């Protein structure tokens, strides 16, 4: 086996290299040659190719993502901003919170269980790498049609994988989304969110500082996982036959990850770590180059010291392996022994693979031969940047002109009743408990709200009750009809969900799932959605702290619905004041906050009943969202909101059904005289919530709404009886509603 | 009457955390010279009649696609005629 | 002096801090015990918490059974020290033969997390004396392998001797034989329970506070001595 | 070099929900004449040297008490010497 060293590269400039197979464009390859003033070694080529990939370098999205920083609202709450493994937000009392959502879409299609499991594993390590203890996970998911055979293969596996990994880590699952749409056939979306907390002084960054400090790789051994592409290089260096077979799928080991969490928290707590980085995509290449690039000097790595699961791995493969459950720490030499002891206590293997130096270079040796010698910034941060062309799709006009106005609407009481029963059983609106009951929501004993509530809420500080709430949302149909408004509607909905729980929205994370950036029409959707989200965050005063971009989500030439999943994090001083969506006492008054308009573009009714998508999404007014949020949070803190639930998919009718099923008691509902009953029940106008107050407190609610300019109308009264009465129209029993609402997923997925 | 036994094992290149855990406990409990432990599944299927032709073919397909996950596992199918 | 209740942490234990919190809320002193250490630190009682000890890779609880701490625990349990195994802890107790039977894969083949109604059937064990016989409670249940199995003779004996501590009501969530949710040994000091009382000790985070009785039971048994 | 294969199967009187689920799918996918399906585990242990005497005895004990749970499972141990 011959090794391609720097010395060899210097004297063999003509040697032809398989850069195209590794996904590099000719000009990118030339750029590498210019940086190095020679041809790259095969190991260097491996590093650059993976670090300059779309996934790691954000080369197509960078120019758009900049807006999140440029338009960021001024706030002291942001302790660590975009660019680190995850953003960190100050929530008071010396506590900081870090949260982030990431995609694992493609691997989850290939192997649903392991793909989804390793998606959870990856995001958890991101949170750990900030110095935080991971506290909870969430899982926004998208699938093809609920009754499609492939959905029957993919969904149960993905759900089992998320549960299998998250449950075993001891992280409660406090929420997520499940949405079905034909555009996700062959391209399901698995986004995973993790939230963690730490004291301010425990915040750690991924930087290799301090000449002489050691680079320690710990956790699972390195195997040949996820290195399909680079085997091209490995086969070059083998005399004949190529390397032994490499796995195309990464398999997660949640038990190892659990040990990794405990060991990491111990070494952080003991002050043994100067810098820390998780190993995810691009493995050691990414970890070492980012650590070195963020540090002030250079780094040297003895690659042959890496503990291997498979001894046949070539250095290129080791550099690029995406084996799971590994972390990298920068440790002062005098603390190394203690670091190793703590790892051993948790049965976690650790080995020194490198040292921080002042060379300004990242150098890697393999059994004494120099195989990498590069300026680390050029690998990690100064990759190519594309200004991809984009233009508004020609079909947008026709799509927006095809409004839902012509669709046949139910009008009579019996028709409306029938529509309601059909809607509550629609896969997108049906109960998701077949899924969520496979997730542990209790572990750690700090879960205050979880499914089916609007937001997940966890207690962070037992002494004071300080906690956070998180919701994720995105209606891809809205985004398709208008990407700018659609992204803002996603933001508005998540914001509203958090406010409805009683927490003050503070910060945003996002996972931008789109088709191919090489398609100018997709790129336009991306540009518009990004602009909408950045503008929206500025207007709401909630900065984006981090996120993730997933491109190339398409089957053939057809892209998925543009799906910018937005996660909003809110803080609540005392979780005991949170608002649930369940009403309690008969006689309490039910109010609808916000204005209802005849808005059905992209609605679930148009989608489920008529298979129609066209027109414009509901109008978004973020000032009104903010005012609504103010009412929800203040009302919750003042203690007079008995229950609150945001209105979104399925409209007011769906919200009322969810509230009554949660409570187990019904209500009598009166349609405001100004509204058509159908519009009242099913329109999806933004900026609305249903709230419940005791009769004595209605004055307080009315005053609060007046102060904030939020319109309100009483729409009902809570009953002891178990039916939902739409006065003068129809009545329906909770038993019927529950049966329809709960049967869909079990019937489909058993 | 026939018995079909299908052994399903993770492909050698795929990480086997279960096997590793078992390996660890075997060592802790005093077994020496252990090089590798892998944990797989075994399906024992009892059938009427003989297993040949199209039926055997179907069984092979089912073993390859239902009983094992071709992305990460290999299988081995054995027919024992006249079992029981 | 407060009663010292040990909570063992195995690699992969998840509900250890939750069990400790429940002990504190009930008024006891929680003492952390480590799987690799056979020192029981003079505790009066011990809880084996839920989780996935050793990843539950071989069989739930199978590897944990051989941990050093288990040697001392088995010894003390045999001389009457109260020992409660919750979920994974129950599995470890069965694997260690401190309790009869075994726990197998849920018949639904899915992990199941739900608020479960139970009936307390034995109020003379060290961990259930603070309940009223026949009392119905709701506490979380969350497991993938919670189906209790044993041969009919064992099941008959458990029932005849009143050693079924709690039974599932409404639905049997995992296919347990005879709806068994928890059992005790002859002496009544060792109890295994599949659902999680430690997650029902605060109204803020649990479906109820019904779980607290398991912890107050053991604390009171010492006070009354 | 030796290979020890331990097959672990639920005792016949213990309900096997996994086996039953597999049986159902085999039927749905067109396999006829299925009488019974059981799902078990298989451990493949590669060892240095030969397996005999005390080492074999230890392996039997481990198979009986660690790899299987005697309350609900039966095991079968096979030694394949010189396996590679
Ligand atoms: N994949 C999932 N994982 C966890 N929780 C989920 C998932 N999908 C839905 N949920 C939860 O189910 C509840 C209802 O979901 P959904 O109807 O989408 O809520 P919303 O209308 O607030 O967006 C929410 O609490 C949500 O967090
Ligand atoms: Mg909601």
């Amino acid at each position: 086996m011959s090794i391609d060293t720097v010395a060899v590269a210097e004297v063999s400039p003509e040697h032809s290299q398989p850069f195209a197979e590794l996904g590099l464009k000719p000009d990118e390859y030339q750029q590498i040659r210019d940086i190095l003033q020679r041809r790259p070694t095969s190991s260097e080529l491996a590093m650059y190719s993976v670090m300059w990939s779309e996934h790691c370098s954000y080369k197509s999205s960078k120019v758009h993502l900049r807006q999140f920083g440029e338009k960021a609202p001024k706030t002291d709450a942001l302790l660590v901003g975009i660019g680190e493994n995850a953003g960190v937000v100050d929530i008071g009392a010396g506590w900081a919170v870090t949260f982030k959502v990431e995609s694992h879409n493609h691997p989850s299609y290939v192997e649903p269980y392991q793909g989804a499991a390793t998606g959870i594993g990856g995001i958890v390590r991101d949170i750990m790498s900030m110095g935080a203890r991971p506290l909870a996970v969430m899982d926004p998911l998208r699938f093809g049609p609920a009754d499609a055979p492939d959905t029957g293969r993919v969904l149960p596996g993905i759900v089992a994988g998320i549960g299998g990994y998250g449950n075993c880590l001891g992280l409660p699952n406090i929420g997520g989304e499940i949405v079905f749409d034909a555009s996700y056939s062959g391209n399901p979306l698995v986004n995973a969110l993790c939230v963690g907390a730490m004291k301010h002084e425990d915040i750690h960054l991924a930087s290799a500082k301090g000449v002489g400090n050691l680079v320690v790789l710990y956790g699972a051994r390195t195997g040949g996982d996820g290195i399909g592409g680079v085997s091209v290089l490995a086969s070059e260096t083998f005399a004949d036959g190529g390397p032994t077979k490499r796995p195309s799928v990464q398999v997660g080991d949640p038990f190892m990850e659990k040990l990794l969490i405990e060991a990491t928290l111990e070494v952080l707590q003991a002050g043994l770590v100067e810098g820390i980085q998780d190993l995810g995509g691009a493995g050691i290449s990414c970890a070492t180059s980012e650590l070195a690039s963020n540090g002030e000097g250079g780094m040297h790595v003895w690659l042959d010291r890496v503990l291997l699961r498979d001894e046949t791995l070539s250095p290129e493969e080791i550099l690029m392996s995406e084996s799971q459950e590994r972390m990298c720490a920068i440790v002062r030499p005098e603390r190394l022994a203690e670091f190793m002891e703590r790892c051993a206590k948790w049965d976690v293997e650790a080995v020194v693979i490198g040292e921080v130096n002042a060379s300004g270079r990242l150098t890697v040796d393999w059994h004494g031969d120099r195989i990498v010698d590069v300026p680390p910034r050029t690998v990690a941060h100064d990759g190519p940047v594309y200004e991809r062309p984009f233009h508004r799709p020609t079909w947008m006009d026709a799509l927006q002109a095809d409004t839902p106005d012509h669709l046949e609407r139910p009008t009579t009481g019996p028709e409306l009743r029938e529509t309601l029963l059909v809607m509550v059983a629609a896969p997108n609106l049906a109960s998701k408990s077949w899924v969520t009951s496979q997730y542990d929501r209790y572990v750690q004993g700090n879960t205050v709200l979880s499914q089916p509530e609007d937001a997940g809420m966890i207690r962070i500080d037992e002494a004071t009750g300080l906690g956070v709430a998180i919701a994720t949302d995105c209606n891809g149909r809205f985004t398709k009809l208008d990407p700018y408004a659609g992204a803002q509607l996603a933001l508005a909905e998540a914001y509203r969900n958090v406010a409805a729980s009683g927490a003050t929205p503070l910060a945003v994370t996002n996972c931008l799932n789109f088709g191919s950036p090489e398609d100018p029409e997709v790129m336009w959707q991306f540009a518009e959605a990004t602009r909408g989200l950045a503008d929206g965050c500025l207007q709401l005063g909630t900065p984006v702290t981090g996120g993730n971009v997933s491109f190339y989500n398409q089957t053939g030439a057809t892209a998925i619905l543009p799906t910018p999943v937005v996660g909003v994090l809110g803080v609540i001083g005392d979780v005991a004041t949170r608002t649930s969506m369940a009403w309690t006492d008969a006689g309490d008054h039910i109010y609808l906050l916000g204005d209802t308009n005849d808005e059905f573009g992209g609605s679930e009714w148009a989608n489920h009943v008529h298979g129609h998508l066209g027109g414009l999404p509901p109008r978004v007014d973020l000032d009104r969202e903010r005012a609504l949020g103010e009412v929800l949070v203040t009302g919750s803190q003042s203690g007079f909101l008995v229950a609150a639930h945001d209105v979104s998919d399925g409209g007011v009718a769906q919200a009322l059904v969810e509230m009554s099923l949660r409570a187990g008691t019904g209500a009598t509902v009166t349609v405001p005289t100004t509204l058509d009953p159908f519009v009242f029940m099913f329109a999806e106008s933004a900026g609305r919530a249903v709230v419940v107050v005791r009769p004595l407190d209605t004055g307080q609610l009315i005053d609060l709404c007046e102060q904030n300019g939020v319109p309100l109308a009483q729409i009902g009264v809570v009953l002891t009886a178990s039916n939902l009465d739409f006065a003068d129209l129809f009545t329906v029993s909770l038993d019927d509603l529950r049966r329809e609402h709960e049967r869909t997923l079990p019937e489909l997925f058993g | 009457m026939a018995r079909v036994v299908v052994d399903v094992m993770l492909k050698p290149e795929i990480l086997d955390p279960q096997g590793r855990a078992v390996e660890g406990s075997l060592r802790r409990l005093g077994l020496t010279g252990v090089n590798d432990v892998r944990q797989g599944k075994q399906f024992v299927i009892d059938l009427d009649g003989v297993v040949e032709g199209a039926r055997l073919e179907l069984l092979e397909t089912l073993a390859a696609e239902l009983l094992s996950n071709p992305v990460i596992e290999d299988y081995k199918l054995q027919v024992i005629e006249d079992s029981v | 002096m407060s009663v010292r209740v040990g909570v063992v942490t195995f690699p992969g234990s998840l509900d250890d801090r939750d069990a400790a919190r429940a002990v504190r809320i009930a008024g006891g002193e929680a003492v952390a015990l480590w799987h690799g250490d056979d020192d029981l630190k003079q505790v009066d009682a011990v809880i084996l918490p839920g989780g996935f000890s050793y990843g539950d890779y071989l069989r739930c609880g199978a590897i944990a059974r051989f941990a050093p701490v288990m040697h001392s625990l088995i010894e003390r349990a045999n001389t009457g020290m109260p020992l409660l195994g919750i979920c994974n802890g129950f599995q470890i107790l069965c694997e260690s033969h401190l309790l009869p039977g075994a726990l197998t894969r849920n018949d639904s083949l899915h992990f199941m997390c739900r608020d479960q109604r139970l009936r307390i059937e034995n109020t003379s064990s060290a961990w259930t004396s603070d309940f009223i016989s026949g009392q119905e409670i709701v506490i979380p249940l969350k497991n993938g392998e919670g189906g209790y199995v044993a041969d009919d003779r064992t099941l008959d004996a458990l029932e005849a001797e009143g050693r079924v501590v709690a039974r599932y009501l409404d639905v049997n969530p995992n296919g347990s034989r005879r709806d068994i949710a928890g059992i005790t040994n002859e002496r009544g000091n060792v109890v295994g329970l599949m659902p999680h009382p430690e997650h029902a000790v605060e109204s803020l985070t649990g479906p109820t506070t019904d779980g607290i009785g398991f912890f107050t039971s053991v604390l009171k048994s010492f006070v009354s001595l």
Side-chain angles (χ1 to χ4, degrees), chain A, chain B, chain C:
Chain A
M1 169 182 356
S2 72
I3 294 295
D4 191 22
T5 63
V6 171
V8 171
E10 266 161 359
V11 298
S12 58
E14 269 70 59
H15 176 73
S16 95
Q17 296 185 284
F19 62 85
E21 286 93 322
L22 294 171
L24 287 167
K25 299 270 174 336
D27 56 325
E28 290 173 340
Y29 178 65
Q30 189 52 49
Q31 202 178 330
I32 297 168
R33 295 189 69 126
D34 293 345
I35 290 169
L36 298 178
Q37 302 282 300
R38 58 172 164 78
R39 77 161 174 87
T41 65
S42 57
S43 295
E44 289 165 341
L45 188 60
M47 288 181 90
Y48 279 103
S49 70
V50 65
M51 290 300 291
W52 286 12
S53 69
E54 187 64 59
H55 177 66
C56 291
S57 74
Y58 292 86
K59 56 190 170 190
S60 302
S61 53
K62 235 179 207 169
V63 293
H64 300 280
L65 298 181
R66 273 188 200 131
Q67 298 169 81
F68 293 144
E70 290 158 6
K71 295 181 186 167
K74 293 283 154 285
T75 162
D76 297 332
L78 200 56
L79 300 174
V80 176
I82 297 182
E84 286 295 331
N85 287 308
V88 180
V89 185
D90 180 12
I91 58 163
W95 284 96
V97 161
T98 178
F99 75 128
K100 189 180 178 190
V101 57
E102 255 187 12
S103 68
H104 223 221
N105 304 339
H106 185 65
S108 304
Y109 179 67
V110 176
E111 169 36 41
Y113 185 98
Q114 295 297 344
T118 51
I120 295 284
I123 191 66
V124 168
R125 288 192 299 280
D126 255 322
I127 294 307
M128 268 201 285
S129 71
M130 300 308 298
R133 174 178 273 279
L135 294 177
V137 296
M138 298 174 82
D139 58 333
L141 309 175
R142 300 291 184 281
F143 299 98
D147 56 0
D150 197 51
T151 304
R153 169 188 75 97
V154 168
L155 184 145
I158 285 174
V159 169
I162 288 167
Y165 205 98
N167 295 345
C168 191
L169 285 189
L171 294 179
N173 185 308
I174 59 168
E177 300 165 68
I178 298 170
V179 178
F180 301 94
D181 184 273
S183 74
Y184 304 110
S185 299
N187 203 122
L189 302 185
V190 175
N191 291 182
L193 181 149
C194 182
V195 55
M198 71 209 106
K199 291 303 210 131
H200 285 194
E201 61 272 20
D202 292 329
I203 298 175
H204 278 74
L205 298 179
S207 87
K209 297 211 169 81
V211 170
N213 285 344
L214 303 171
V215 183
V216 184
L217 182 65
Y218 65 109
R221 289 187 167 224
T222 299
D225 311 69
I227 51 176
V230 80
S231 301
V232 186
L233 281 172
S235 58
E236 272 210 321
T237 58
F238 283 84
D240 51 10
T244 48
K245 201 158 180 311
R246 302 300 180 217
S248 49
V249 194
Q250 302 152 29
V251 170
D253 180 353
F255 174 55
M256 174 55 85
E257 180 111 333
K258 168 69 178 164
L259 301 183
L260 201 56
I261 293 176
E262 298 303 333
T264 300
L265 289 170
E266 260 198 48
V267 295
L268 288 170
Q269 225 85 85
L272 305 178
V273 172
E274 305 301 310
I276 186 162
Q277 169 77 303
D278 59 301
L279 274 80
I284 296 177
S285 293
C286 180
T288 55
S289 63
E290 285 194 353
L291 281 165
S293 178
N294 290 334
E296 59 243 325
M299 181 185 290
H300 179 69
V301 173
W302 298 276
L303 196 62
D304 43 90
R305 296 191 186 175
V306 171
L307 299 173
L308 299 179
R309 203 172 82 222
D310 173 354
E311 296 296 336
T312 70
L313 290 180
S314 70
E316 296 88 344
E317 291 176 319
I318 297 169
L319 280 168
M320 286 178 71
S321 160
E322 296 190 350
S323 285
Q324 302 290 300
E325 292 97 22
R326 297 179 298 164
M327 299 279 290
C328 204
I330 305 296
V331 181
R332 292 212 306 270
E334 64 271 24
R335 309 306 299 272
L336 180 69
E338 204 184 331
F339 183 98
M340 295 307 220
E341 246 168 61
R342 306 252 177 185
C343 284
K345 170 183 165 194
W346 287 101
D347 279 331
V348 169
E349 287 188 308
V351 64
V352 173
I353 62 160
E355 191 179 78
V356 179
N357 59 33
S359 67
R361 313 278 297 180
L362 171 62
T363 50
V364 178
D365 284 0
W366 177 252
H367 294 293
D369 287 322
R370 179 71 31 106
I371 56 171
V372 170
D373 184 350
V374 297
R377 271 204 79 80
T378 65
V379 180
H381 291 106
D382 299 336
V385 177
Y386 291 166
E387 303 251 4
R388 299 251 190 219
F390 58 86
H391 61 74
R392 186 167 184 273
T394 46
W395 43 261
M396 278 299 285
D397 286 337
L399 183 69
Q400 293 184 341
D402 176 21
T403 71
D405 298 346
H406 65 281
L407 302 176
E408 197 188 330
R409 300 177 170 194
T411 51
T412 66
E415 283 171 1
L416 287 164
R417 181 179 187 277
E418 182 54 31
T419 304
L420 179 60
L421 287 169
V422 167
M423 290 290 285
V424 298
N428 284 341
L429 298 182
S431 165
K432 303 299 188 298
S433 62
W434 183 86
V435 170
T436 55
S437 67
Q438 297 184 48
Y439 301 153
D440 183 348
R441 57 182 181 274
Y442 283 110
V443 65
Q444 294 199 6
N446 286 313
T447 306
V448 177
L449 296 175
S450 61
Q451 61 73 42
E453 295 284 349
D454 285 331
M457 184 180 287
I458 47 170
R459 177 174 59 188
I460 304 252
D461 185 9
E462 252 179 274
T464 62
L466 179 68
V468 295
I470 307 180
T472 71
D473 279 296
C474 176
N475 184 324
R477 295 190 307 271
F478 292 169
T479 321
K480 172 104 179 215
L481 297 179
D482 181 345
Y484 182 90
Q488 294 200 336
L489 284 163
L491 170 66
E493 189 181 342
Y495 183 96
R496 199 184 314 137
N497 275 313
V498 165
S501 75
T504 307
L506 203 62
V508 168
T509 184
N510 66 86
C511 188
L512 307 173
N513 305 274
F514 286 78
S516 166
E518 294 162 41
D519 177 343
E521 298 183 340
V522 169
M523 205 55 215
W524 176 80
Q525 294 175 325
F526 181 80
E528 283 293 282
T530 317
R531 194 169 64 85
L533 185 55
D535 289 347
C537 287
L538 181 56
Q539 204 173 340
L540 287 176
T542 49
V544 174
T545 64
N548 178 244
V549 177
S550 173
F551 278 131
Y552 300 101
N553 292 292
Q554 51 186 69
T555 315
T558 321
I560 57 163
L561 292 178
T563 314
V565 169
V566 179
V568 169
L569 176 128
V571 63
I572 180 165
D574 182 358
V575 289
T577 68
R578 90 289 187 201
T579 314
S580 151
M581 70 194 239
W583 52 54
T584 45
D585 298 331
D588 284 357
H589 290 184
I590 306 172
Y591 279 85
L592 174 61
L593 310 186
D595 278 324
T596 303
N597 300 303
D598 188 337
E599 294 179 295
F600 286 92
S603 69
E604 187 57 39
W605 172 76
N607 175 55
H608 183 64
V609 176
H610 294 282
H612 178 270
L613 175 59
L616 288 173
R619 200 171 53 86
V620 52
D621 179 342
L622 294 175
D623 288 335
R624 283 210 162 191
E625 290 295 344
R626 201 169 180 160
L628 176 69
E630 189 62 39
V631 169
L632 291 168
V633 173
T634 308
S636 172
Q637 283 168 357
S638 315
F640 66 77
L641 284 188
V642 173
H645 190 21
D646 89 297
V647 177
S648 53
D649 313 56
V652 168
Q654 177 73 17
L656 290 169
V657 169
E658 289 172 358
M659 293 174 90
S660 50
L661 290 181
R662 183 96 171 119
T665 61
T668 178
V669 180
T670 325
V671 179
T673 48
T674 50
L675 285 176
D676 167 67
F678 167 75
V679 171
F680 167 73
M681 286 177 68
F682 298 109
E684 295 188 7
S685 301
R688 296 181 302 161
V690 174
V691 299
V692 178
V693 292
R694 285 173 295 265
L696 277 176
D697 293 331
T698 52
Q700 288 196 64
L701 176 67
I702 292 168
D703 287 350
L704 183 60
C705 284
E706 226 156 61
Q707 282 159 30
N708 287 285
V710 173
L712 83 168
Q714 188 180 348
I715 58 164
V717 176
V718 176
L719 298 178
T720 34
S722 23
N723 37 22
L724 208 48
D725 260 328
F726 282 79
D728 304 330
L729 289 168
F730 65 89
T731 181
V732 58
S733 74
L734 295 193
D735 284 344
D736 286 348
L737 287 170
R738 190 184 302 282
R739 193 190 55 243
E740 291 307 302
H741 190 53
E742 290 182 352
R743 72 185 170 84
T744 309
L745 264 55
E747 281 176 12
L748 285 164
F749 305 108
Chain B
M1 218 94 92
R3 167 166 290 186
V4 175
V5 178
V6 181
D7 294 338
V8 174
M9 210 28 96
L10 282 171
K11 288 182 199 284
E13 67 270 19
I14 299 278
L15 175 70
D16 176 10
Q18 311 202 58
R20 255 197 16 178
V22 175
E23 187 174 329
S25 6
L26 289 174
R27 285 228 182 83
R28 273 194 300 278
L29 293 171
L31 190 67
T32 53
V34 187
N35 282 328
D36 188 38
V37 179
R38 313 238 354 130
Q39 176 171 344
K41 293 179 211 161
Q42 185 173 66
F43 299 90
V44 178
I45 307 170
D46 285 333
L47 295 150
D48 283 335
V50 287
V51 174
E52 51 185 26
R55 196 140 170 258
L56 181 56
E57 253 167 57
L58 177 59
L59 267 162
E60 287 278 355
T61 313
L62 291 169
E65 286 173 19
L66 175 73
L67 302 182
S68 67
N69 175 351
V71 180
I72 52 173
E73 293 168 327
D74 294 326
Y75 76 95
K76 208 180 71 201
L77 184 150
Q78 250 179 299
V79 182
I80 309 165
E81 295 286 352
D82 279 327
S83 63
V84 183
Chain C
M1 222 193 68
S2 65
V3 179
R4 289 166 60 84
V5 180
V7 178
V8 179
T9 299
F10 296 94
S13 290
L14 304 179
D15 302 309
D16 44 348
R17 287 180 301 158
D18 310 52
R21 181 194 290 119
V23 167
R24 282 195 303 272
I25 289 175
E29 184 189 346
V31 179
L33 300 178
W34 181 244
H35 73 107
D37 189 349
D38 58 10
D39 177 8
L40 296 186
K41 302 188 181 160
Q42 275 123 32
V43 292
D44 303 301
V46 170
I47 298 173
L48 301 179
F52 291 77
S53 56
Y54 301 91
D56 273 357
Y57 279 140
L58 175 56
R59 250 182 351 270
C60 300
I63 300 179
R65 165 196 171 189
F66 295 100
V69 74
M70 288 306 294
H71 299 306
S72 336
L73 268 184
I74 291 171
E75 228 166 76
R76 290 282 307 276
N78 285 333
T79 63
M81 181 191 68
L83 176 58
L84 172 67
I86 304 170
C87 194
N88 195 233
F90 187 6
Q91 293 157 341
I92 297 170
L93 293 178
C94 287
E95 285 283 345
S96 310
H97 309 303
L98 283 170
L99 292 175
L103 292 140
T104 56
R105 187 92 186 264
N106 293 352
D107 58 353
S108 68
L109 302 180
H110 292 300
F111 185 94
M112 172 62 72
C113 176
R114 68 190 305 270
D115 300 341
Q116 178 71 45
R117 216 152 64 88
L118 304 175
R119 188 172 50 236
I120 303 294
E121 306 217 324
N122 167 320
T123 52
S124 55
S125 86
W127 300 89
T128 51
S129 54
D130 216 14
F131 290 100
I132 306 164
S133 181
Q135 189 174 338
E136 294 185 2
I137 63 170
V138 175
I139 62 177
L141 169 114
K142 50 190 187 90
N143 61 65
E145 308 199 10
Y148 181 74
V149 298
D151 55 36
D152 285 325
R153 238 193 28 224
T154 308
L155 292 169
D156 291 343
L158 285 172
E159 291 187 327
E161 294 162 24
R163 286 166 54 197
V164 174
V165 161
R167 264 187 238 266
Y168 298 119
L169 295 179
D170 303 338
V171 275
N172 180 333
N174 44 30
S176 277
R177 300 293 306 275
R178 306 192 191 176
D179 298 333
I180 289 174
I183 57 171
T184 181
N185 60 350
E186 288 91 348
R187 194 167 184 157
N189 64 316
V190 179
V191 168
L193 192 66
M194 208 13 82
H196 289 261
E198 81 280 21
H199 287 126
V201 295
E202 292 180 279
S203 56
L204 199 58
T205 53
T208 65
T209 54
D210 293 347
I212 198 77
F214 289 90
F215 307 96
T216 51
S217 293
V218 77
L219 298 181
K220 284 184 187 167
S221 74
F222 285 99
V223 175
S224 61
L225 281 185

